Amino acid sequence: DSPSSERLNNPFLPQTNRLQPKVAPAAVSGPAHLFRLAGKCFSFVESTYKYEFCPFHNVTQHEQTFRWNAYSGILGIWHEWEIDNNTFVGMWMREGDSCETKSRQTKVHLVCGKSNKLAYVSEPSTCVYSLTFETPLVCHPHSLLVYPTLTEALQRKWDDAEQLLYDELITEQGYKKNLKEIFEEAGLLKAAEEKEVEKHNKKISLEFETVEKCSKEYKQLSKEIKRLQDLLTQHGIAYRGNSAENTSVEHQSHKPATAMTT
């Protein structure tokens, strides 16, 4: 077990093979008794590959050969928990090295074992890896429960959601949404805000992707400007818009205004 930073910047690796993380790991979260695993690394060798799991940090893969271009890469960086039925069922390491159009990612399953050890590695689908990590820290039946790790305020929110579901005031889907928000607030799941912003920006760019759409939008805006100018004129307010930066509105009570614009 050695600090992950030593592994990440191994001076004996060729310069090109030093690992370049895309993002920083998320904050340490979840059951407090697992926090002692932070800063340690556990390895597993299978044929010519050595896999390394550094809890709350990353998962890496190193080709065990003397070839000058032996592969060393990141299979995922600590991101969030997977939660199901009030239980932490796995750790998701995401945003690893690029793999065609996606990034490599890894789900780490925590299972009861006599000692801390990386026991099994597989690749259930392309560039999505599955690791099994054995540890005595999860042998107690309550060791992976989510509710006890929450603050009192968030526990109360969960209790309220349970009550609403029991009283049939929310649907199962609404209940799950409430729980997701609680877990995000607790820092156990990454909030989907960034994804929403991305989606919104994409939508805006799609709205203006053709000349036809732009023309249509322009006509509508021109109509709206005309309507607002007429409104100003009715109330005796002169509108002078020489440029986008220099737009002035003057009130002229003594005579009807003439609206001028470029």
Side-chain angles (χ1 to χ4, degrees):
D1 306 352
S2 69
S4 43
S5 57
E6 282 177 26
R7 305 287 193 179
L8 203 61
N9 300 309
N10 182 344
F12 298 107
L13 284 174
Q15 194 63 38
T16 51
N17 282 354
R18 300 247 181 121
L19 305 177
Q20 300 292 323
K22 288 182 194 170
V23 294
V28 174
S29 67
H33 58 276
L34 295 180
F35 294 0
R36 70 188 79 170
L37 295 173
K40 295 181 176 177
C41 292
F42 306 91
S43 57
F44 173 82
V45 177
E46 186 175 61
S47 67
T48 59
Y49 285 104
K50 180 182 183 183
Y51 296 87
E52 212 155 27
F53 167 51
C54 306
F56 304 108
H57 193 74
N58 68 15
V59 171
T60 56
Q61 183 187 43
H62 311 275
E63 193 178 351
Q64 304 285 283
T65 67
F66 291 103
R67 291 191 305 129
W68 67 273
N69 62 345
Y71 174 77
S72 262
I74 299 175
L75 303 187
I77 294 165
W78 165 237
H79 188 81
E80 64 183 348
W81 286 96
E82 181 168 318
I83 296 170
D84 186 35
N85 191 23
N86 186 22
T87 306
F88 292 106
V89 294
M91 299 176 84
W92 272 107
M93 312 296 225
R94 303 194 197 273
E95 294 297 327
D97 290 346
S98 297
C99 166
E100 291 165 10
T101 56
K102 307 190 296 267
S103 293
R104 296 172 197 273
Q105 55 178 341
T106 302
K107 182 178 171 182
V108 182
H109 304 264
L110 304 175
V111 299
C112 172
K114 285 197 179 79
S115 61
N116 290 329
K117 147 179 140 168
L118 194 52
Y120 182 71
V121 178
S122 67
E123 192 178 348
S125 60
T126 311
C127 299
V128 178
Y129 303 83
S130 173
L131 261 62
T132 302
F133 180 68
E134 292 180 0
T135 173
L137 298 172
V138 301
C139 292
H140 189 279
H142 298 164
S143 61
L144 289 172
L145 290 181
V146 178
Y147 188 89
T149 69
L150 301 175
T151 60
E152 275 184 42
L154 290 178
Q155 286 182 349
R156 274 198 299 277
K157 274 192 184 180
W158 193 336
D159 296 342
D160 293 344
E162 291 284 345
Q163 192 60 50
L164 289 169
L165 183 67
Y166 179 78
D167 294 336
E168 295 182 357
L169 294 171
I170 54 172
T171 60
E172 186 73 37
Q173 198 178 353
Y175 169 74
K176 281 181 179 164
K177 186 171 176 280
N178 281 7
L179 285 198
K180 189 169 179 288
E181 283 166 9
I182 290 167
F183 300 153
E184 283 174 2
E185 205 176 320
L188 304 171
L189 298 182
K190 271 275 196 283
E193 281 167 25
E194 304 133 33
K195 291 172 196 165
E196 286 308 310
V197 168
E198 230 172 77
K199 246 193 250 174
H200 180 67
N201 291 344
K202 200 171 177 190
K203 189 170 175 249
I204 288 172
S205 64
L206 284 174
E207 277 172 15
F208 301 107
E209 67 181 353
T210 64
V211 175
E212 195 186 353
K213 282 182 184 172
C214 277
S215 303
K216 194 179 167 190
E217 193 67 26
Y218 176 75
K219 277 176 191 160
Q220 281 178 332
L221 289 170
S222 301
K223 254 190 221 170
E224 182 64 8
I225 288 170
K226 177 82 172 69
R227 188 182 70 78
L228 292 169
Q229 284 172 353
D230 291 347
L231 199 63
L232 289 172
T233 306
Q234 279 172 30
H235 290 277
I237 299 167
Y239 167 81
R240 290 194 181 91
N242 299 329
S243 71
E245 291 81 28
N246 182 20
T247 301
S248 62
V249 173
E250 296 169 12
H251 195 277
Q252 299 178 334
S253 52
H254 57 282
K255 59 179 181 180
T258 52
M260 299 182 296
T261 181
T262 49

